[in-house]
Amino acid sequence: MIDSYLMSNIAAPPPTELAAVLLDGVRAVRRGAPALAGLEPDSYARLHSAFELLSDQRDLIAEHLAERLADRGDGPISVLSVGCGDGVLDVRLAAGLVLAVPGRPVRYVGVDPWIGSVERFTATMAALDADELSADGHVASFGDSPVDETFDVVMFVHSMYYVADVGATLRAALALLRPGGELWVAVAPSAELNALVGVLAPPLEGHRQWFSGDVGEAFVDAGIVVDDVATLHALVDLASASDEVLDFAVQARLTPDLQGPVRAYLDAVSVPGVDGGLRVPHPVDVFTASGH
Ligand SMILES: C[S@@+](CC[C@H](N)C(=O)[O-])C[C@H]1O[C@@H](n2cnc3c(N)ncnc32)[C@H](O)[C@@H]1O
């Protein structure tokens, strides 16, 4: 009995070592293979919505950003959301701004390269039916965006992964700030979940996806002072994810031979959630930089 107890404890590596071994297993399946397919924009948007339902991260981001918007006072306010997606997050923030100070003019602009998402962004904002809210959506990548106004807040929520040049993007974003304005960049670190993205996601127009370490370095290289970095510690229930939602989580279309190794790795990095169920750590870092 004691022997078998000792054997099982000797045989089982600690969770971090097991995860490293399982991640190597995923790498081994991929070695020498052509890049996996990425997600098409329409399925990306659909699967993103489904993924968010398994995570508490969006609520944490919404609460965090709403508090920061509230800290900016009661005057007129303008916000640019880069990579706004379907606007589910932005409409919560815009509604909060409108409700907090009745009659205060609120300008809210979204930019996203996927037309289906921008249509949903504009429709959701219009559905708020608030006279003091002026909202517009532009179908464009940030680099090609026709935005020709300045803002109190420019935010990138989970969109910095995809830009071609992070430093140039940060500089261009700062140039869109009004005096006293702030740039907010919410981007995930390359932690447990995104270690998989690093192994599995196909390159985007010649570059890998950028994570918060890359963004931090780009701020330094661009000579932009970061005023604050806040980490929001979210959790995501990937044990309940369908195969398609798992594709969104790893940002690649998984082939059948990868499903098992990927799920085994995710089990190994999981921690107990408040309900006792297993959750994958799903942190996000929020950088803040000021304009002039
Ligand atoms: C994970 S979603 C985030 C959507 C939204 N901000 C949210 O938090 O729900 C990333 C979004 O970035 C958009 N995106 C990708 N490349 C972009 C670029 N170069 N410029 C602006 N947006 C981009 C995608 O189309 C997608 O809607």
Side-chain angles (χ1 to χ4, degrees):
M1 179 74 179
I2 291 174
D3 280 355
S4 65
Y5 172 81
L6 286 174
M7 284 303 290
S8 63
N9 277 277
I10 289 164
T16 48
E17 270 180 37
L18 176 62
V21 168
L22 292 168
L23 187 61
D24 276 345
V26 175
R27 281 196 194 95
V29 177
R30 289 295 307 134
R31 197 158 294 131
L36 293 170
L39 280 74
E40 293 302 313
D42 54 347
S43 41
Y44 178 102
R46 178 174 55 82
L47 297 174
H48 178 215
S49 300
F51 173 84
E52 292 292 347
L53 295 177
L54 301 177
S55 174
D56 58 359
Q57 193 193 79
R58 180 173 271 158
D59 284 344
L60 293 180
I61 293 177
E63 285 158 20
H64 181 82
L65 298 186
E67 277 173 24
R68 286 173 165 221
L69 287 170
D71 286 346
R72 295 196 59 85
D74 292 350
I77 186 161
S78 55
V79 177
L80 172 65
S81 174
V82 180
C84 57
D86 58 14
V88 168
L89 174 68
D90 295 295
V91 79
R92 281 174 71 169
L93 299 176
L97 288 170
V98 166
L99 288 173
V101 188
R104 172 248 301 264
V106 175
R107 173 82 176 132
Y108 212 112
V109 177
V111 171
D112 199 288
W114 169 236
I115 187 170
S117 291
V118 176
E119 281 172 356
R120 282 193 283 276
F121 169 91
T122 345
T124 326
M125 287 288 179
L128 280 181
D129 199 21
D131 289 342
E132 56 273 64
L133 173 65
S134 149
D136 280 315
H138 298 289
V139 182
S141 292
F142 179 62
D144 305 325
S145 137
V147 169
D148 61 357
E149 55 193 300
T150 52
F151 299 88
D152 298 304
V153 173
V154 174
M155 65 171 80
F156 290 69
V157 178
H158 287 312
S159 53
M160 198 59 90
Y161 313 106
Y162 308 114
V163 303
D165 182 331
V166 180
T169 302
L170 294 174
R171 283 190 294 272
L174 274 195
L176 292 176
L177 289 178
R178 291 185 177 161
E182 286 185 330
L183 168 62
W184 300 342
V185 181
V187 57
S190 177
E192 291 88 345
L193 176 55
N194 287 319
L196 275 178
V197 174
V199 174
L200 297 167
L204 305 155
E205 295 172 17
H207 67 87
R208 64 175 172 81
Q209 296 199 13
W210 312 116
F211 295 109
S212 60
D214 303 303
V215 174
E217 281 174 21
F219 270 113
V220 172
D221 292 348
I224 302 168
V225 175
V226 173
D227 299 327
D228 184 59
V229 187
T231 300
L232 310 181
H233 294 282
L235 296 170
V236 58
D237 175 11
L238 289 179
S240 303
S242 67
D243 289 347
E244 270 208 298
V245 172
L246 199 60
D247 289 349
F248 178 86
V250 302
Q251 300 276 290
R253 287 294 185 190
L254 291 175
T255 46
D257 54 337
L258 282 163
Q259 296 281 350
V262 163
R263 287 193 185 271
Y265 167 80
L266 290 171
D267 276 355
V269 297
S270 289
V271 295
V274 280
D275 64 357
L278 285 181
R279 301 286 186 275
V280 176
H282 188 210
V284 58
D285 294 323
V286 186
F287 293 81
T288 301
S290 310
H292 301 292

